[in-house]
Amino acid sequence: LGHDDRVTTLTFVRSPPWLHVCVTGSADKTVRAWDSESSSCMSCLRDQHQLEVVAVASSAAMGPLILSVDKGGVLVAWDFASSSSRSACPMKMPATCMASTGARTAAVGYANGVILLLDVTTISILHKLVGHDGDVQSLDWAPPPPAAAAAQAQPSGTDHEELPELASAGRDRTIRVWNARVGTSKQVLKPKAAPGEAKNRGWLACKWHPQEKDSLISGGSNGDVWWWNVKSKRAQKGTGKQLPSRSVFSFALGRLAGDEEEKLKMVCVSMDRTIALWDMQDSLTCRWLLPCLGGYVYDIDRCPSDPARVVLAVGDQTIRTWQTNSREPHDCQLLWRGLQAKVICVRWHPDEDGTVAFGTDDGRVGMCDVMSQKHRILAGRHAGSVYEL
């Protein structure tokens, strides 16, 4: 059986022979270790967290150590193999994210913009990094040199002076690169903001390139993705026929299984509920975009003048239009701005191809122009959900 509430975070254990173990944290205040080969739950950490778990990580220090932190700032170090654990609260502040070097050190970001570097074997503070104004939204350690990586693989062979650089991204729309050895900020990067964009809105994620030194990937405004040279502070913007339209939540870089060319790829997920695959050879190019749904499809209707074009009412407060005969198999348009309730039913206008009527679960009826992506709510409302138009 699984969690009793939504899964908020997951990771894989990074130390052999536990590489097949997936760790999940949940809003049900528990942490579970799963065998990815048998799809079974190996162990569960209960009664250590009193609030929702927001981040998990793994460490090779002192065996297969699993780290978890909750909204109250409580950090738990759990050796699931021996079922032993210890906990501490380094800062009484809501934690927002965490990243581990895979050895003795972890970085934890907080809602007040502070980042703590911790020795996970004692849960003691090594450095306090101050620079962000607001939530720390993303943390990532730079890939260590081969010699340092080999040393980190040994549980007792990690020296804190060998720490790699740390990248952090915050709600203040800045990316900071830290010298973790001495606890100071080295660089501040600022992705370009869209016209009229609020300073503290959206999400900002960052990820080091696994092969190129001083190379960093970050999100930006309205789904923009940037490839940074940290030293020069210059960045090239990702391109492609289809691109994410809202903030990117996270990045994963690696080689795809079955790829004969074995070229580095990147996958990102974004707030517009899409998964994007990127090539990363000489430039950052989006190869395809896979739309996903965040709720039930309550209704579907076909365009009277174009049977291959359909509109969907979705329970995640969105309307989707899908061109099913396009060369792009997932040619889908997302309409979401201003929609405040689940969309229960939709109907194409019989004569105006670009006009769609919709009804919501709060009793409202509206008209949407799919070309301009603008809509208006009609005066008056039903007492309950609108089921038919």
Side-chain angles (χ1 to χ4, degrees), residues 131-196:
H132 286 290
D133 180 16
D135 295 4
V136 180
Q137 296 176 324
S138 180
L139 291 167
D140 192 42
W141 292 97
Q152 284 187 356
Q154 302 298 325
S156 61
T158 301
D159 188 334
H160 291 302
E161 294 183 356
E162 299 301 322
L163 289 177
E165 293 178 335
L166 176 70
S168 63
R171 188 176 291 275
D172 58 5
R173 312 301 295 166
T174 65
I175 301 166
R176 293 179 177 269
V177 178
W178 304 86
N179 184 334
R181 300 175 185 176
V182 295
T184 59
S185 177
K186 293 181 59 178
Q187 295 276 18
V188 179
L189 310 175
K190 297 181 179 181
K192 294 181 180 179

Side-chain angles (χ1 to χ4, degrees), residues 182-241:
V182 295
T184 59
S185 177
K186 293 181 59 178
Q187 295 276 18
V188 179
L189 310 175
K190 297 181 179 181
K192 294 181 180 179
E197 181 187 35
K199 178 181 178 182
N200 291 323
R201 293 191 62 186
W203 191 271
L204 188 60
C206 62
K207 186 73 174 178
W208 288 101
H209 193 293
Q211 299 172 348
E212 296 186 10
K213 183 177 173 58
D214 299 318
S215 185
L216 184 72
I217 308 296
S218 84
S221 301
N222 301 327
D224 292 345
V225 176
W226 298 92
W227 189 350
W228 294 87
N229 182 307
V230 173
K231 283 189 175 181
S232 66
K233 292 188 178 183
R234 294 182 179 180
Q236 60 170 301
K237 185 178 178 180
T239 60
K241 293 182 179 180

Side-chain angles (χ1 to χ4, degrees), residues 55-66:
V56 292
S58 71
S59 168
M62 301 174 65
L65 201 62
I66 293 174

Side-chain angles (χ1 to χ4, degrees), residues 69-75 88-95 108-118 123 125 127-130:
V69 65
D70 62 32
K71 280 190 172 181
V74 173
L75 178 71
C89 186
M91 177 180 289
K92 292 184 178 180
M93 177 63 58
V108 180
Y110 293 87
N112 61 354
V114 171
I115 302 169
L116 294 184
L117 302 188
L118 304 172
I123 315 184
I125 299 175
H127 293 291
K128 181 178 180 180
L129 311 181
V130 180

